[in-house]
Amino acid sequence: MNSTANRLVLETPRMILRPYQADDYELSREQMTDPDVVKYITGEVLSEDKLAERISKSLDRSICGNLGIWVLIDRETQEKLGTAVLLPTPENEIEAQWSDIDLTTISPQAKIEVGYILTKPAWGKGYATESCTRLIEFGFEETPLEVIWAVTDPENTASQHVLRKSGLQDDGQIVAYKEILPLFKVTKYNWLIAKQS
């Protein structure tokens, strides 16, 4: 693993977060072919072609200098629990236009969102909050970001609860992924205040 990849290996009390790689194919298959998992993501399970396309993009985005996609691994069992991300928010688009983004030199005001997809066996155990909290910490301590965003499906109250527990606050709505979605934000300033209290 190169120095950039090593810097992106993160730890939490229960997990190791490391950049997504080629041998995570089965994890993506488990995630994206489970109707319950994709309910608020794609709305339908992915075909093999769509799954291959998604994995190819995940590999491209897994190590992007400062941001990317992480695999969540249980420290004790080495089980893969899901993925978490810090990636550009695709306003007015299905996904961000990556050709226009230089993730190695992020603007402090870049619209970067935190998010996660857990496998069903990992639900309800606090892993989502733990991973989001760690990525927000990384974003504010290791990158120039001044704000971190998140969006959810309007009906996904469980994820909205996770975001609030992770330190983000309700901030109205935004057009993202070609939908009007609830917006959550946390500023570096407020994050630092909460960390010191």
Side-chain angles (χ1 to χ4, degrees):
M1 209 176 266
N2 64 35
S3 59
T4 298
N6 283 331
R7 191 176 69 82
L8 293 177
V9 174
L10 310 176
E11 297 185 13
T12 75
R14 295 184 294 165
M15 294 181 289
I16 301 293
L17 284 64
R18 61 129 173 96
Y20 188 96
Q21 56 196 34
D23 67 1
D24 296 317
Y25 182 90
E26 287 305 320
L27 171 63
S28 290
R29 179 192 292 278
E30 182 180 356
Q31 291 174 313
M32 304 312 295
T33 59
D34 185 322
D36 293 330
V37 172
V38 300
K39 178 179 179 181
Y40 296 119
I41 303 168
T42 62
E44 58 185 11
V45 299
L46 296 188
S47 66
E48 283 297 323
D49 288 346
K50 290 290 186 183
L51 181 61
E53 180 182 344
R54 184 181 182 93
I55 290 169
S56 176
K57 289 178 179 178
S58 294
L59 288 169
D60 288 343
R61 300 166 186 181
S62 63
I63 303 175
C64 303
N66 287 308
L67 306 178
I69 301 172
W70 285 262
V71 173
L72 314 178
I73 301 172
D74 185 288
R75 280 178 176 274
E76 292 187 4
T77 66
Q78 299 303 302
E79 178 187 1
K80 295 177 183 179
L81 306 169
T83 51
V85 305
L86 279 175
L87 291 175
T89 306
E91 294 182 272
N92 302 309
E93 301 288 345
I94 293 296
E95 60 183 54
Q97 301 305 301
W98 282 75
S99 60
D100 301 330
I101 299 168
D102 181 0
L103 293 178
T104 61
T105 56
I106 306 167
S107 161
Q109 297 304 319
K111 293 175 179 176
I112 302 298
E113 67 174 311
V114 66
Y116 64 90
I117 305 174
L118 297 182
T119 60
K120 203 184 307 181
W123 287 9
K125 299 175 182 177
Y127 293 120
T129 303
E130 194 171 321
S131 59
C132 286
T133 300
R134 182 63 183 95
L135 289 185
I136 291 167
E137 178 183 51
F138 172 82
F140 287 143
E141 291 187 344
E142 302 292 334
T143 83
L145 288 174
E146 293 292 334
V147 182
I148 292 176
W149 300 44
V151 297
T152 71
D153 185 284
E155 297 181 4
N156 194 348
T157 56
S159 276
Q160 292 164 24
H161 180 64
V162 165
L163 296 175
R164 293 183 188 109
K165 284 183 66 177
S166 301
L168 290 94
Q169 297 180 339
D170 298 71
D171 198 56
Q173 296 180 318
I174 186 176
V175 177
Y177 301 96
K178 292 193 172 180
E179 296 183 61
I180 299 173
L181 300 174
L183 173 64
F184 297 80
K185 284 185 186 177
V186 59
T187 65
K188 185 173 185 177
Y189 176 79
N190 288 338
W191 177 80
L192 284 170
I193 290 175
K195 184 179 179 182
Q196 293 166 3
S197 62

